[in-house]
Amino acid sequence: MHPRRPDGFDGLGYRGGARDEQGFGGAFPARSFSTGSDLGHWVTTPPDIPGSRNLHWGEKSPPYGVPTTSTPYEGPTEEAFSSGGGGGVQGQSSEQLNRFAGFGIGLASLFTENVLAHPCIVLRRQCQVNYHAQHYHLTPFTVINIMYSFNKTQGPRALWKGMGSTFIVQGVTLGAEGIISEFTPLPREVLHKWNPKQIGEHLLLKSLTYVVAMPFYSASLIETVQSEIIRDNTGILECVKEGIGRVIGMGVPHSKRLLPLLSLIFPTVLHGVLHYIISSVIQKFVLLILKRKTYNSHLAESTSPVQSMLDAYFPELIANFAASLCSDVILYPLETVLHRLHIQGTRTIIDNTDLGYEVLPINTQYEGMRDCINTIRQEEGVFGFYKGFGAVIIQYTLHAAVLQITKIIYSTLLQNNI
């Protein structure tokens, strides 16, 4: 189980400034400000954020009031925008544009992951829990066709149902992690000088977080797969109500086939921890490659001022994209099993993903994770674990397109401003 945006960059030390303090083996120094004033012992300045300064990998922020010195791979500084009459105003305008555009690109990435991609998440989950389906929708072409049918018969709400509950699950996950880390010695980040004990405690924190958010994840899953044809108008907090009801066993109609939460802990924690580990490793690996490539291009003095500014934060967005894609693809079969176990016995009725109209009840009788895996393999084949995989292809193709479009827009704005 995991929120749609995989933990940002807090994986194994990727949380804001913590990344810069840890680096990769100390090769990349921390970015911090210092002051020569008498108040320097208590006045602090926030660390650099992507798009706020024209800093590059391995470059420290200059002390206040001390002129900067050039390095062979140094990118354009504010002085590069202040040549000629009125250059100071132009440099300030360029810096403001850099900050605004950086924020805009990050916001566009979040919007794509959580809003534009939500129809893909809805259809993907419906296909995963639909053991009746004869069409597995392994390619994006059949997925687009079935999306059109749902939109035609039920309206746009059929593709964006349950979006509010996914945000609630993310909020519960982040809140639970923060509260548990505050009242226990379990670390939220892994320091550079880590040891097996620290790694184990960090993963234990993640596991406890997934356990706390598990009933709300089940309620959110039901909202995203429940057919709009028989769906009542539920409030935005219905996910919280049903999650609490799932814990205390009251308020929500269930059948005898409903698996107890205790039997769902292992597959939920297994999926969540594996997703977190894979995402963190891929993020570090991709970011390291991109930063080294950027560093070498600066040494060769072959980077334009516009590209230098793009290199300030785009590697992190690309690393996050690659990490989320790889973890979703690798763990897709396990996610299919997890969703079927969570939905069993909840009296959920889903859309018919073969026809695009009509509805189907979910009446599986899996005894547990092992029985679910064996049943899918025997009755649906190996590709039964990948039902709805075409929605993943559409989701990440859309995300990549949005990143590329925003990058082109940002480059155009910078070129016109320089």
Side-chain angles (χ1 to χ4, degrees):
M1 181 197 74
H2 63 283
R4 278 311 312 160
R5 184 143 189 254
D7 296 324
F9 304 106
D10 60 339
L12 301 180
Y14 265 78
R15 183 179 295 280
R19 185 201 71 229
D20 294 331
E21 295 173 2
Q22 298 152 17
F24 297 95
F28 311 114
R31 298 176 179 174
S32 61
F33 288 96
S34 61
T35 176
S37 64
D38 295 334
L39 302 179
H41 64 282
W42 63 275
V43 177
T44 60
T45 305
D48 299 311
I49 60 176
S52 64
R53 297 180 61 86
N54 298 325
L55 297 178
H56 304 283
W57 194 252
E59 180 182 348
K60 294 183 178 179
S61 301
Y64 180 78
V66 179
T68 59
T69 57
S70 299
T71 59
Y73 58 91
E74 188 177 21
T77 60
E78 296 178 4
E79 287 78 3
F81 300 98
S82 59
S83 60
V89 177
Q90 184 179 1
Q92 184 178 5
S93 176
S94 299
E95 184 177 359
Q96 292 177 351
L97 175 63
N98 191 19
R99 293 180 179 179
F100 177 77
F103 172 78
I105 292 179
L107 185 62
S109 178
L110 292 176
F111 179 78
T112 304
E113 291 181 20
N114 296 279
V115 180
L116 290 182
H118 192 75
C120 299
I121 298 173
V122 169
L123 186 63
R124 157 184 172 178
R125 291 181 173 182
Q126 284 192 321
C127 292
Q128 286 177 319
V129 301
N130 187 3
Y131 70 98
H132 297 284
Q134 299 298 320
H135 299 288
Y136 289 5
H137 300 294
L138 302 177
T139 65
F141 306 105
T142 58
V143 169
I144 294 176
N145 184 43
I146 204 68
M147 280 184 176
Y148 173 77
S149 299
F150 286 156
N151 182 76
K152 183 178 179 180
T153 57
Q154 304 178 38
R157 289 185 57 184
L159 299 177
W160 270 273
K161 55 189 175 184
M163 186 171 63
S165 65
T166 59
F167 288 108
I168 291 178
V169 172
Q170 292 183 28
V172 171
T173 303
L174 294 176
E177 181 179 347
I179 293 174
I180 295 174
S181 64
E182 286 294 330
F183 291 94
T184 63
L186 302 178
R188 297 189 68 178
E189 295 98 10
V190 177
L191 301 178
H192 169 59
K193 296 181 179 180
W194 57 269
N195 53 62
K197 179 182 178 181
Q198 190 180 40
I199 291 289
E201 292 177 345
H202 180 64
L203 294 181
L204 177 60
L205 172 63
K206 292 294 181 180
S207 301
L208 294 176
T209 301
Y210 297 138
V211 172
V212 173
M214 180 175 61
F216 305 99
Y217 182 83
S218 296
S220 175
L221 175 64
I222 295 174
E223 289 192 17
T224 54
V225 301
Q226 183 91 309
S227 176
E228 283 289 321
I229 297 177
I230 51 90
R231 180 187 179 91
D232 297 329
N233 291 327
T234 57
I236 190 173
L237 296 180
E238 190 69 20
C239 172
V240 178
K241 177 183 176 181
E242 293 187 4
I244 297 176
R246 181 73 181 267
V247 175
I248 63 179
M250 297 177 58
V252 182
H254 296 144
S255 69
K256 295 181 179 179
R257 299 188 305 273
L258 181 71
L259 294 174
L261 289 177
L262 290 178
S263 63
L264 296 176
I265 290 179
F266 176 73
T268 301
V269 172
L270 177 63
H271 178 267
V273 170
L274 288 179
H275 195 281
Y276 173 74
I277 293 176
I278 294 174
S279 297
S280 301
V281 172
I282 296 297
Q283 278 182 358
K284 275 196 170 185
F285 179 73
V286 174
L287 193 60
L288 178 62
I289 293 178
L290 294 177
K291 289 298 184 180
R292 285 183 175 178
K293 181 180 178 181
T294 301
Y295 177 79
N296 293 332
S297 64
H298 284 306
L299 289 178
E301 298 182 355
S302 60
T303 305
S304 64
V306 173
Q307 186 62 38
S308 298
M309 293 183 182
L310 294 176
D311 291 338
Y313 55 87
F314 251 99
E316 292 187 349
L317 294 178
I318 296 175
N320 181 40
F321 169 82
S324 181
L325 173 62
C326 292
S327 55
D328 277 355
V329 171
I330 294 174
L331 297 178
Y332 196 88
L334 180 58
E335 184 183 73
T336 299
V337 174
L338 178 65
H339 286 169
R340 293 200 182 188
L341 295 178
H342 272 276
I343 208 71
Q344 177 173 300
T346 58
R347 296 185 178 180
T348 302
I349 297 180
I350 65 173
D351 296 307
N352 189 330
T353 56
D354 287 337
L355 304 177
Y357 56 90
E358 297 182 353
V359 293
L360 296 171
I362 299 296
N363 53 9
T364 55
Q365 298 183 11
Y366 304 121
E367 297 179 359
M369 181 177 176
R370 178 179 298 180
D371 180 53
C372 182
I373 294 175
N374 294 333
T375 303
I376 294 176
R377 183 174 62 249
Q378 294 173 4
E379 298 183 0
E380 303 171 56
V382 176
F383 290 112
F385 294 99
Y386 291 91
K387 283 186 174 180
F389 188 78
V392 176
I393 300 176
I394 296 178
Q395 175 182 342
Y396 285 98
T397 300
L398 181 63
H399 191 182
V402 171
L403 285 179
Q404 187 63 29
I405 292 174
T406 51
K407 183 176 181 180
I408 294 174
I409 295 175
Y410 184 32
S411 302
T412 303
L413 292 176
L414 287 178
Q415 290 174 353
N416 294 335
N417 195 71
I418 292 178

